[in-house]
Amino acid sequence: MKIQITDKPGVSISKGMIGLFFEDINYGLDGGLHAEMIENRSFEFMEAKGDKGRFSESYDGLYGWTAYPAESSGATLQIQTEQPQNEVNPHYLEFTAADRQNAFTNKAYDGVSLKPGLQYQVSFYARAEGYAGGIEVSVEKNSTVMAQAIIATAVGEEWTRYTAQLNCSEPVSYGDFVIRLDAPGTVCFDFVSMIPSNAVLGLFRRDLVELLQEMKPGFLRFPGGCIVEGYNLENRYQWKQSVGAAEQRRNNSSRWAMHGNNEENHYTSEYSHYNQSLGIGFYEYFLLCEYLVARPIPVLNVGLACQFQSTEHVGVHDEDFQKYIQDALDLLEFANGPVESQWGALRLQMGHPAPFGLELIGLGNEQWETEHADFFTRYDLFEQAIHAQYPSVQLIGSAGPDVSSEHYTRAWEYYRKRAKANPNFVYAVDEHYYVKPEWLCENVHFYDQYPRDIKVFAGEYAGHYGNGMNAPHFNSWGAALAEAAFLTGLERNADIVVLASYAPLFARLGYAQWSPDMIWFDGENSYGTPSYYVQQIYSTLMGTKVQQTVHDQEEIPYTVSYDEQQQVLYVKLVNTLERSVTVELETEMSLTGLGEAYVMQGQEEDVNSIGTPRNIAPHSYPLETAGSMVYEIGPKSFHVLKMYCGA
């Protein structure tokens, strides 16, 4: 295969084209990105049961909390509401101990893990009547105390926040978090928290954020995903309930608590207690975007519940529908408004006087037009209201759940018709495709013939050899290699595809409702999948313009881009074949003779894991460059040639 690289620049590549899509699925937030180690910290958890159109919730505030030791007979745990710490989350724990041996513990997913050198900030609200003792907090392993702190102050009759630091001298894997009274009596507790001192911004689990940082993402789309819509409208994500004091954010059960429910399992599952504490809300998402230097792209509900789960909706002529539109306008004020405004004042109160600079908003997650869901009318009304007040804000529409059905075709007809009269009507259309790797390989030219009038956001995609719960083996090299091939088409068509993100982002091992996922983790460690490293390569090794090329028979997918500032040429070559391919490169660009090659290669079934986190990962090698060269591309491999240009 012969490729001639001309000195003629092609289309521009949007800065930050490759980014992140985050949804609280697979315990990706609570139990994952949120550094909080305690589960059900406010005693507000719900148990969700049911299936499409037949949902039920029941309160289960003691979920995750038990007497310690388990066989203890003198400990009593009861949920009360008579004198709450706050009215939004009114339940709290009343704990009674008959003697000092009685205590209580938290499930904490798989238990809490400690590392020497870190401090663990423990906090909780407590109050008591007639109790003269203090409170002891510890982490124990097989009944051996590994870390301990004593709050010596006598507990008063008013709700008071108490704090303590836990330290350990040796590692602890999945220990028991224990609270013990140092005298017999009764004490009430609420909002129990434990966060490690290395948490990014005091909020986010460091190893997961570092993996995101290494990608250098251009944007972060949040908070989903299907949780934007909810399994019904009451269950939808409401951004206003995710801001303000953390202990006063209303707990919400997760739409993913219903995933996999059926008659055989009595419409319940091991994930029935999957809840959203909202400890990370819209304010914290904005902070994370700043930290990652990524553009925020919040997605808002348009009055439709998840169309896979429900036909519930608010009619566009109903008074309540205006609340959804007002939520969008108020979000823009919260993110960008002056501190004298209502929502700008809340941003100031939370600690961020400067605007967040929100420029993009997604309207609806994965909506499509049906007899029950008049999505197009809803988009019209949102667009008119938003652009009347904020004409520079760019809007992202939805093409539905796939790129092959009539929903997709009708969506594009709708956007193109509206955009002819109003070029500001939509910035980009969000396309989703969870497909077989073969489809990705066969469609590397999918966008070559797209009309250039409206941009594309490839918002959710992944190569699927299979899909299921807790299946990290689906994140194989074969799937990632197909994604690398497909991404050549996205890069080559960067004038139309301006944003792209793999999905889902995170999965906790043993807690996943959906596979494959880009990053897997447990309570102690994490790793990027082969798909993660493909995304990282495209995000970090991409120019500012596509460079024009000429080739003979296209044996394998490729793309060439040039970074005008750095004067660096990037050649991506993706060999999905079972045989090697010889590539002859000729370039009209002046090269310095220096460069690097980044190579990923393996068997289709190869995967990464906690034990072998870089089994499939890029390796770099020195590369001698010249105006012409011959390069051997091994079977099932992905290569990026980085070549420096100069006089």
Side-chain angles (χ1 to χ4, degrees):
M1 177 179 173
K2 187 172 183 178
I3 302 172
Q4 181 180 356
I5 304 170
T6 74
D7 59 2
K8 299 178 179 62
V11 300
S12 296
I13 298 173
S14 296
K15 183 180 180 182
M17 170 185 172
I18 305 297
L20 303 169
F21 160 65
F22 179 80
E23 177 171 14
D24 187 1
I25 185 175
N26 307 320
Y27 286 68
L29 189 59
D30 288 320
L33 183 61
H34 190 193
E36 177 61 71
M37 302 172 77
I38 303 301
E39 195 170 3
N40 187 19
R41 63 181 180 176
S42 289
F43 306 96
E44 296 291 343
F45 266 28
M46 305 294 292
E47 182 178 14
K49 297 181 179 179
D51 195 10
K52 185 173 183 178
R54 37 189 281 179
F55 310 111
S56 66
E57 288 183 346
S58 58
Y59 174 71
D60 193 6
L62 276 178
Y63 173 79
W65 297 96
T66 56
Y68 183 89
E71 64 275 9
S72 175
S73 59
T76 304
L77 284 73
Q78 292 184 320
I79 296 297
Q80 303 290 358
T81 58
E82 288 81 2
Q83 300 179 52
Q85 190 275 325
N86 68 80
E87 298 293 338
V88 178
N89 292 309
H91 298 90
Y92 57 91
L93 173 67
E94 181 184 80
F95 175 67
T96 299
D99 57 52
R100 199 181 182 284
Q101 300 306 311
N102 301 144
F104 63 99
T105 186
N106 183 253
K107 177 178 177 291
Y109 308 98
D110 303 301
V112 297
S113 296
L114 308 182
K115 296 179 180 178
L118 291 183
Q119 292 183 326
Y120 295 84
Q121 178 80 18
V122 176
S123 63
F124 51 78
Y125 285 89
R127 68 170 182 81
E129 294 181 11
Y131 175 69
I135 299 171
E136 174 188 297
V137 179
S138 63
V139 171
E140 303 183 12
K141 186 73 173 180
N142 300 323
S143 299
T144 300
V145 175
M146 308 299 293
Q148 184 182 62
I150 297 174
I151 298 176
T153 306
V155 180
E157 296 184 2
E158 301 296 327
W159 284 109
T160 303
R161 185 172 182 265
Y162 297 92
T163 63
Q165 300 268 349
L166 287 180
N167 302 275
C168 62
S169 58
E170 58 184 275
V172 179
S173 291
Y174 308 116
D176 297 314
F177 173 84
V178 179
I179 295 180
R180 179 177 282 109
L181 306 188
D182 64 13
T186 298
V187 177
C188 297
F189 293 88
D190 203 358
F191 202 67
V192 184
S193 174
M194 179 174 175
I195 293 182
S197 59
N198 69 342
V200 173
L201 305 177
L203 294 163
F204 301 101
R205 183 169 147 173
R206 179 162 293 277
D207 61 328
L208 298 182
V209 171
E210 287 175 348
L211 282 167
L212 302 184
Q213 273 186 305
E214 289 167 10
M215 269 190 64
K216 293 183 168 55
F219 63 87
L220 175 67
R221 174 184 169 221
F222 62 88
C226 291
I227 68 162
V228 170
E229 306 147 335
Y231 49 72
N232 58 29
L233 285 175
E234 176 64 24
N235 180 248
R236 75 188 188 278
Y237 195 103
Q238 301 181 56
W239 78 264
K240 290 177 180 176
Q241 295 183 0
S242 79
V243 294
E247 58 267 39
Q248 297 189 40
R249 300 178 187 179
R250 185 175 69 85
N251 186 82
N252 194 26
S253 62
S254 173
R255 173 253 188 264
W256 293 105
M258 301 287 187
H259 195 66
N261 287 3
N262 52 48
E263 186 175 0
E264 287 72 25
N265 60 24
H266 306 289
Y267 300 103
T268 187
S269 77
E270 59 191 301
Y271 306 115
S272 293
H273 289 92
Y274 191 177
N275 279 233
Q276 303 169 68
S277 73
L278 300 182
I280 300 298
F282 264 46
Y283 177 77
E284 290 79 18
Y285 284 126
F286 283 128
L287 292 181
L288 181 60
C289 288
E290 282 192 336
Y291 187 84
L292 296 173
V293 196
R295 300 169 76 189
I297 307 181
V299 182
L300 299 180
N301 189 293
V302 293
L304 297 171
C306 178
Q307 290 178 251
F308 290 105
Q309 294 280 344
S310 172
T311 59
E312 186 180 357
H313 62 280
V314 172
V316 296
H317 301 296
D318 293 351
E319 182 179 343
D320 282 350
F321 180 70
Q322 293 305 313
K323 296 178 182 178
Y324 290 77
I325 290 178
Q326 192 62 47
D327 279 350
L329 299 175
D330 291 343
L331 175 61
L332 284 160
E333 183 176 284
F334 176 74
N336 299 344
V339 295
E340 295 80 17
S341 65
Q342 177 186 352
W343 293 100
L346 178 59
R347 186 188 71 241
L348 170 65
Q349 179 185 329
M350 295 184 72
H352 200 284
F356 284 114
L358 178 60
E359 301 172 337
L360 287 161
I361 285 184
L363 297 181
N365 162 57
E366 197 171 57
Q367 263 64 64
W368 63 93
E369 186 83 359
T370 72
E371 60 177 317
H372 300 292
D374 49 350
F375 172 63
F376 298 159
T377 300
R378 294 164 188 272
Y379 186 96
D380 284 348
L381 296 171
F382 268 81
E383 186 274 331
Q384 292 165 18
I386 291 172
H387 281 155
Q389 290 193 35
Y390 301 97
S392 64
V393 170
Q394 296 173 315
L395 303 180
I396 295 173
S398 167
D402 58 55
V403 290
S404 57
S405 70
E406 65 173 9
H407 305 309
Y408 156 80
T409 304
R410 289 180 66 192
W412 274 106
E413 290 172 351
Y414 159 73
Y415 291 116
R416 290 198 168 101
K417 181 179 179 181
R418 292 290 198 276
K420 284 182 180 179
N422 176 12
N424 197 34
F425 184 73
V426 62
Y427 170 66
V429 175
D430 185 11
E431 295 189 344
H432 295 180
Y433 22 80
Y434 297 104
V435 293
K436 296 293 185 184
E438 293 81 6
W439 187 95
L440 294 171
C441 294
E442 293 164 1
N443 284 274
V444 294
H445 294 285
F446 187 76
Y447 290 108
D448 288 5
Q449 303 305 317
Y450 254 52
R452 267 36 196 177
D453 52 348
I454 298 175
K455 310 299 184 185
V456 171
F457 178 9
E460 296 183 32
Y461 63 88
H464 280 210
Y465 277 117
N467 189 355
M469 298 184 178
N470 299 307
H473 61 280
F474 286 145
N475 278 110
S476 66
W477 172 231
L481 184 63
E483 292 153 10
F486 185 72
L487 280 161
T488 63
L490 270 60
E491 181 176 327
R492 184 174 56 255
N493 291 283
D495 58 326
I496 181 74
V497 183
V498 291
L499 302 162
S501 51
Y502 180 101
L505 177 57
F506 288 125
R508 182 167 179 138
L509 290 160
Y511 291 78
Q513 298 81 55
W514 182 284
S515 313
D517 306 284
M518 193 162 75
I519 295 169
W520 288 79
F521 61 92
D522 60 18
E524 295 185 322
N525 301 293
S526 56
Y527 68 90
T529 63
S531 294
Y532 165 83
Y533 288 107
V534 166
Q535 294 291 315
Q536 183 192 67
I537 281 177
Y538 271 90
S539 183
T540 59
L541 301 176
M542 187 184 286
T544 56
K545 286 187 178 295
V546 175
Q547 201 69 16
Q548 294 186 34
T549 63
V550 179
H551 64 266
D552 54 12
Q553 180 184 2
E554 189 180 46
E555 288 186 77
I556 61 173
Y558 78 93
T559 186
V560 180
S561 63
Y562 179 63
D563 189 309
E564 297 165 295
Q565 276 193 324
Q566 303 296 323
Q567 294 186 293
V568 174
L569 197 65
Y570 297 103
V571 180
K572 297 186 179 72
L573 304 160
V574 186
N575 185 7
T576 62
L577 305 175
E578 299 283 355
R579 59 176 175 85
S580 294
V581 173
T582 300
V583 176
E584 296 181 50
L585 286 176
E586 290 189 358
T587 178
E588 297 174 358
M589 311 282 284
S590 177
L591 304 178
T592 64
L594 303 174
E596 294 95 38
Y598 298 83
V599 180
M600 293 180 68
Q601 187 167 14
Q603 301 298 313
E604 282 193 0
E605 65 276 10
D606 288 347
V607 296
N608 295 343
S609 66
I610 293 291
T612 57
R614 291 184 59 88
N615 183 43
I616 298 292
H619 297 276
S620 62
Y621 308 93
L623 177 70
E624 293 186 8
T625 64
S628 62
M629 67 183 101
V630 177
Y631 200 78
E632 190 79 6
I633 308 297
K636 303 295 180 184
S637 65
F638 175 31
H639 299 244
V640 182
L641 312 183
K642 181 179 181 180
M643 298 181 282
Y644 299 93
C645 301

